[in-house]
């Protein structure tokens, strides 16, 4: 990480790191934050390690109420979306642990294939300048991943939305809650400019037509929202109009 990124992440002044690094490092250690300076020739970079991140046992038990998402992130492929969502859910928006720890945290099988998908998703988010991802130099099974400060806060969702989609995933025996959540978020984004079409949801979420239609039906059947067709005339359908269920959408389920 650069000096500027460290200062933004830890709310420090550049002078406190430049002129009083040892003192700043000692102060941070009292807060369970390890700051390391890395010199490579004339270049200097920094590494932040959270010694106690206080995260819950699983993603679905986190107490954090607001989760930051931007319009771009909703369109991420499923694995990238899940990894992004998981990192921003953890305290301080930092995940530290092994690849198996990560998969256990999101309650996925820690198989070799899932570890491969996880690593690919992490690297894809790095390539998009969304996260900083560092593999532990002493054990390449461990890593630290954190969201860059420059990721803008375009919208917020509540942890309750994730929990509700997890319940629906289990009820309808689906492989993942991600399509449900992405469809729900897509509808929330489109509702201000009704009517909208299935293709509009596809464009925002990056899901297949089948996944959108299936998730849309489950969300409607579960009374997350009501949806009906909007007609210009008897033979001309403009798309869909949706009315959100106040119970499920009030403050984005922040009280659940």
């Amino acid at each position: 990480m650069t000096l500027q990124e460290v200062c933004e992440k830890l709310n420090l002044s550049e002078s406190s790191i430049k002129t009083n690094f040892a003192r700043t490092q000692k102060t941070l250690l009292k807060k369970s934050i390890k700051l390391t300076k890395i010199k490579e020739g004339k270049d200097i970079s920094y590494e932040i390690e959270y010694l106690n991140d206080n995260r819950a046992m699983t993603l679905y038990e986190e107490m954090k109420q607001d989760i930051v998402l931007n319009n771009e992130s909703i369109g991420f492929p499923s694995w990238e979306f899940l990894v992004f969502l998981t990192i921003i859910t953890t305290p301080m928006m930092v995940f530290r642990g092994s690849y198996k720890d990560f998969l256990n945290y999101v309650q996925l099988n820690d198989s070799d294939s899932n570890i491969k998908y996880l690593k690919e998703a992490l690297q894809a988010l790095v390539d998009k300048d969304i996260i900083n991802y560092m593999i532990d130099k002493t054990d390449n099974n461990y890593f630290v991943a954190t969201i860059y400060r420059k990721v803008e806060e375009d919208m917020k969702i509540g942890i309750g939305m994730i929990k509700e989609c997890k319940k629906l995933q289990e009820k309808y025996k689906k492989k993942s809650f991600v399509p449900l959540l992405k469809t729900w978020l897509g509808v929330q984004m489109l509702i201000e400019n009704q009517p909208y079409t299935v293709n509009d949801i596809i464009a925002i979420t990056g899901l297949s037509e089948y996944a959108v239609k299936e998730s849309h039906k489950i969300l409607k059947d579960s009374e997350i929202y009501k949806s009906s067709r909007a007609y210009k005339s008897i033979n001309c359908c403009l798309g869909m109009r949706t009315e959100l269920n106040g119970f499920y959408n009030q403050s984005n389920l922040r009280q659940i």
Side-chain angles (χ1 to χ4, degrees):
M1 298 178 73
T2 66
L3 175 62
Q4 292 75 23
E5 288 172 338
V6 170
C7 290
E8 289 181 359
K9 177 68 84 175
L10 300 178
N11 194 27
L12 298 171
S13 66
E14 292 187 15
S15 62
S16 66
I17 296 178
K18 284 183 176 180
T19 62
N20 297 299
F21 181 79
R23 184 192 302 172
T24 302
Q25 187 181 48
K26 186 176 180 179
T27 300
L28 289 172
L29 276 174
K30 293 179 181 178
K31 301 177 182 179
S32 297
I33 301 172
K34 181 181 179 182
L35 180 63
T36 306
K37 182 188 294 185
I38 303 169
K39 292 185 178 180
E40 296 181 358
K42 295 182 179 180
D43 296 327
I44 297 177
S45 61
Y46 300 86
E47 183 176 294
I48 298 173
E49 182 179 351
Y50 295 90
L51 304 179
N52 180 15
D53 60 15
N54 294 315
R55 69 172 182 261
M57 291 297 293
T58 70
L59 166 65
Y60 317 103
E61 297 171 36
E62 285 294 352
M63 296 303 294
K64 191 173 185 177
Q65 297 301 317
D66 289 334
I67 300 172
V68 179
L69 285 182
N70 60 21
N71 295 354
E72 178 189 5
S73 63
I74 296 172
F76 289 163
S78 292
W79 267 96
E80 291 177 38
F81 181 81
L82 177 61
V83 171
F84 177 77
L85 190 67
T86 301
I87 295 172
I88 63 177
T89 302
T90 57
M92 298 295 291
M93 295 190 186
V94 175
F95 187 95
R96 178 179 181 272
S98 69
Y99 297 104
K100 289 188 176 182
D101 288 340
F102 189 102
L103 292 169
N104 291 331
Y105 181 64
V106 296
Q107 296 185 325
L108 287 177
N109 191 303
D110 57 8
S111 63
D112 290 342
S113 59
N114 278 348
I115 290 176
K116 175 177 176 291
Y117 294 142
L118 171 57
K119 289 180 176 180
E120 290 174 349
L122 285 163
Q123 188 56 52
L125 291 172
V126 169
D127 294 341
K128 292 176 179 177
D129 289 328
I130 300 296
I131 68 169
N132 184 34
Y133 163 51
M134 297 172 290
I135 300 174
D136 193 306
K137 294 179 180 179
T138 63
D139 187 337
N140 60 16
N141 289 314
Y142 284 78
F143 69 95
V144 177
T146 181
I147 301 295
Y148 280 127
R149 290 281 295 184
K150 71 175 184 178
V151 177
E152 297 180 358
E153 299 184 10
D154 287 344
M155 69 175 296
K156 293 185 178 181
I157 66 172
I159 190 69
M161 287 183 75
I162 301 173
K163 291 181 178 179
E164 192 63 33
C165 288
K166 179 66 176 175
K167 290 179 186 177
L168 294 177
Q169 173 203 347
E170 294 170 353
K171 177 180 178 179
Y172 289 90
K173 296 180 172 56
K174 299 301 175 185
K175 291 182 179 180
S176 172
F177 71 89
V178 170
L180 290 162
L181 180 59
K182 292 179 79 171
T183 300
W184 189 351
L185 290 169
V187 169
Q188 282 192 341
M189 293 174 63
L190 291 166
I191 203 166
E192 293 182 2
N193 297 295
Q194 302 193 63
Y196 61 90
T197 66
V198 169
N199 286 335
D200 291 329
I201 302 178
I202 292 171
I204 289 176
T205 63
L207 295 170
S208 68
E209 180 178 356
Y210 175 80
V212 169
K213 287 183 175 180
E214 182 181 51
S215 298
H216 188 57
K217 184 178 187 306
I218 290 174
L219 292 167
K220 283 178 58 181
D221 291 347
S222 303
E223 298 184 344
I224 301 297
Y225 52 72
K226 297 179 180 179
S227 184
S228 59
R229 293 184 179 275
Y231 290 92
K232 182 177 181 180
S233 61
I234 294 178
N235 298 317
C236 182
C237 180
L238 297 175
M240 294 178 284
R241 289 190 181 279
T242 295
E243 179 183 348
L244 298 176
N245 183 325
F247 174 78
Y248 288 108
N249 293 276
Q250 183 177 12
S251 299
N252 294 324
L253 287 178
R254 292 176 189 173
Q255 303 303 316
I256 289 183

